[in-house]
Amino acid sequence: QVQLVESGGGSVQAGGSLRLSCATSGIIFSINPMAWYRQAPGKQRELVASIGVGGATNYADPVKGRFTISRDNTKNTVYLQMNSVKPEDTAVYYCNTIPFYREYWGRGTQVTVSS
């Protein structure tokens, strides 16, 4: 059974930092490109950052230069370091593979940024 469990969210003031983690099980993590997605209230889920099996990364324009995605294949875990956060980063953050699978979605972790 595939499980993706996100953690590390919370409430933070604008300009602060958070580090999100996504622990995976039930997939061969090392051969899967991974990504972080987010969904803000009233908006569609969007791709935030991705990392390939070789470590190549891509970022959505709104988070470039502020967020960093990384992976640890020994721990089957993907991370998202969020720096200089803004109120518009407020959302539930999820991880999934690329392409994503609907059955892989976890509960996500809430990030709330106050101004």
Side-chain angles (χ1 to χ4, degrees):
Q1 182 181 359
V2 174
Q3 284 193 315
L4 278 62
V5 180
E6 301 90 351
S7 63
S11 296
V12 62
Q13 288 193 327
S17 298
L18 282 173
R19 189 192 192 208
L20 308 184
S21 299
C22 171
T24 73
S25 60
I27 64 171
I28 305 175
F29 182 80
S30 61
I31 64 171
N32 276 282
M34 298 296 298
W36 282 94
Y37 303 79
R38 68 184 180 187
Q39 187 166 20
K43 295 187 177 181
Q44 288 190 330
R45 197 169 301 188
E46 62 178 357
L47 178 67
V48 174
S50 64
I51 185 165
V53 296
T57 57
N58 282 288
Y59 299 92
D61 286 344
V63 307
K64 279 182 181 177
R66 300 188 297 120
F67 291 8
T68 302
I69 188 172
S70 61
R71 65 190 296 157
D72 186 337
N73 289 346
T74 67
K75 296 182 179 179
N76 295 336
T77 299
V78 60
Y79 304 96
L80 186 69
Q81 178 67 44
M82 305 170 63
N83 297 330
S84 302
V85 295
K86 303 176 180 179
E88 51 263 44
D89 295 324
T90 295
V92 179
Y93 285 72
Y94 305 85
C95 67
N96 207 318
T97 56
I98 294 182
F100 67 81
Y101 292 92
R102 284 187 297 176
E103 60 267 34
Y104 288 4
W105 292 117
R107 294 186 175 183
T109 186
Q110 174 72 48
V111 172
T112 302
V113 182
S114 57
S115 57

